[in-house]
Amino acid sequence: MLWDTLTPFHAPRWEKNAEAAIAAGSKHLLAFNEPDLPAQANMDVPTSVKGWMEHMEPFHAKYNGDVQLGSPAVCNGPDAHLGLQYLATFLEQCAGCHVDFLAIHWYGVATDAGVQNLKDHIGKATAMAGGRPIWLTEFAPTGSDEEQARFLEQVLPWLDDKSNGVDRYAYFKVETMVSGDSLTKAGAAYAA
């Protein structure tokens, strides 16, 4: 993943690191991590579009589409400049970009309402994806270990059903799924 283009650490090393990943067998590259959040990549949409054209789009041309490019990974914040609204604006302003899949994040509560909120978030992303798959590259609910396990027992079968548009998903903070040498209840639910 190219975290951002604003800090001197990421962009200058991106091409070399991406090429090394491709040489090792990677077929996917991810763009910016939560550019819609000040505490993360913190990039406005025009900066993300410029960064995409400079650092991501060349891989589409070089590899003739054989390397799939993932959109900036956005949060699920409700504000007008966050989350899916940010992503919609990015896709509109980057109309000539070759975005092969949409990367999104979700954080919420481990309740029935949280389950529905995650499903609704993915449904909205799928509706705007234009047939592109969704990668839920980070998701995690808050709650007790038991509440998180119940949440996962409800959402994992749904996430595994490809008809909802989700192609891949990854739980965030995997270290919360283990305690010592054992799986927590949430960890056992995820592993099941």
Side-chain angles (χ1 to χ4, degrees), residues 6-7 16 18-19 29-30 45 63 69 77 137 139 141 156 168 178 180-181 190:
L6 302 175
T7 57
K16 180 181 175 185
E19 290 290 357
L29 297 175
L30 291 163
V45 172
Y63 291 97
L69 305 178
T137 57
F139 81 102
L156 292 178
R168 298 179 187 203
V178 294
D181 292 339
Y190 193 82

Side-chain angles (χ1 to χ4, degrees), residues 46-107:
T47 302
S48 289
V49 170
K50 182 177 184 280
W52 181 280
M53 295 307 291
E54 290 177 9
H55 300 286
M56 298 296 291
E57 194 66 24
F59 287 98
H60 174 78
K62 182 173 183 177
Y63 291 97
N64 298 313
D66 289 337
V67 173
Q68 301 288 293
L69 305 178
S71 73
V74 296
C75 74
N76 61 306
D79 295 342
H81 65 285
L82 297 176
L84 296 180
Q85 183 58 50
Y86 180 101
L87 187 54
T89 304
F90 172 83
L91 294 171
E92 180 181 300
Q93 291 184 17
C94 206
C97 298
H98 294 91
V99 178
D100 298 301
F101 57 93
L102 302 188
I104 63 171
H105 296 169
W106 180 89
Y107 293 93

Side-chain angles (χ1 to χ4, degrees), residues 21 23 29 77 80 135 162 183:
L29 297 175
W135 282 27
K162 301 292 185 194
L183 291 172

